[in-house]
């Protein structure tokens, strides 16, 4: 069983501040990394699909980078707003399980206070 | 498009009972999967399917059965419910048989309580 770790487990951010957090994964046999945003009482929604070392993706104020050689991905939120409050999940896939086995991290819970 | 639908939304079972959690999608997605979500843990893959007639086990398959007779439906069967199966269950689907570049769309979840 692979270990996908997300840190920190939770963080509190003042409105307007920027923040970032990490998804760590085994660097061997990397195939794909996905980021999801999960709001309370809703279903996870996809943010980014990342497959290549050095990938950088951006959606509005949220962006992500990928380093497959060292086994981590960062997700950044610029100028946090209360609507950014959610749990952010990363999901990792290896080449040996490319048919469909994603392993999810436990998530980073972000709380943005006005 | 309704997307991914799940029924029921909430269910209470007694230990030893069996039931089927329903999942359907109307996006013609080849890939479908079932996850369970427990406090402090990420989503854990139970079973998945890359097309009608093809299923495989995920990380935590014990106590669950699946079948995929149509592209649209992917039911999850609990054979003999146990308190350890108390959880929130999510069904997800994505286009194509290679999910590397395809995002997953999640259903609203089924909350299951086993007494």
């Amino acid at each position: 069983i692979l270990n996908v770790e997300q840190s920190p487990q939770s963080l509190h951010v003042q409105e307007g501040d920027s923040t970032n957090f990490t998804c760590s994964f085994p660097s061997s046999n990397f195939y794909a990394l996905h980021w999801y945003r999960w709001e309370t009482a809703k279903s996870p929604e996809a943010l980014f699909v990342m497959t290549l070392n050095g990938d950088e993706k951006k959606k509005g104020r949220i962006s992500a980078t990928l380093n497959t050689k060292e086994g981590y991905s960062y997700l950044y939120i610029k100028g946090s707003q209360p609507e950014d409050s959610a749990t952010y999940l990363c999901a990792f896939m290896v080449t040996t399980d490319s048919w469909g086995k994603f392993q999810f991290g436990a998530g980073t819970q972000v709380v943005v206070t006005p | 498009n309704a997307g991914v639908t799940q029924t029921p939304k909430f269910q209470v079972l007694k230990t030893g009972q069996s039931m089927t959690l329903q999942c359907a999608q109307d996006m013609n997605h080849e890939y479908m999967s079932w996850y369970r979500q427990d406090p402090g843990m990420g989503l854990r893959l139970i079973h998945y399917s890359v097309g009608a007639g093809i299923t495989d086990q995920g990380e935590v398959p014990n106590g669950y059965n699946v079948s995929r007779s149509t592209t649209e439906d992917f039911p999850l069967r609990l054979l003999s419910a146990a308190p350890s199966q108390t959880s929130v269950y999510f069904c997800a689907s994505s286009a194509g048989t290679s999910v590397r570049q395809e995002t997953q769309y999640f259903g609203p979840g089924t909350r299951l309580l086993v007494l």
Side-chain angles (χ1 to χ4, degrees), chain A residues 1 9 30-32 34 36 38 42-46 48-49 51-52 89 93 97-107, chain B residues 31 33 35 37 40-45 48 50 56-59 90 97-109:
Chain A
I1 296 179
Q9 196 170 15
F30 174 86
Y31 200 53
H34 294 188
Y36 290 84
W38 193 358
K42 294 187 177 180
S43 305
E45 292 184 346
F48 304 116
V49 172
T51 57
L52 298 175
L89 301 172
M93 177 186 276
D97 285 327
S98 59
W99 275 108
K101 288 185 182 178
F102 274 103
Q103 186 180 40
F104 278 79
Chain B
Y31 179 88
S33 57
Y35 295 90
Q37 196 265 328
M41 307 186 76
L43 295 167
R44 291 186 293 169
L45 183 64
Y48 65 98
V50 296
D56 203 352
Q57 296 181 349
E59 184 183 350
F90 287 94
T97 53
S98 174
V99 296
R100 182 188 188 200
Q101 303 216 34
E102 304 290 344
T103 60
Q104 294 191 69
Y105 295 84
F106 284 83

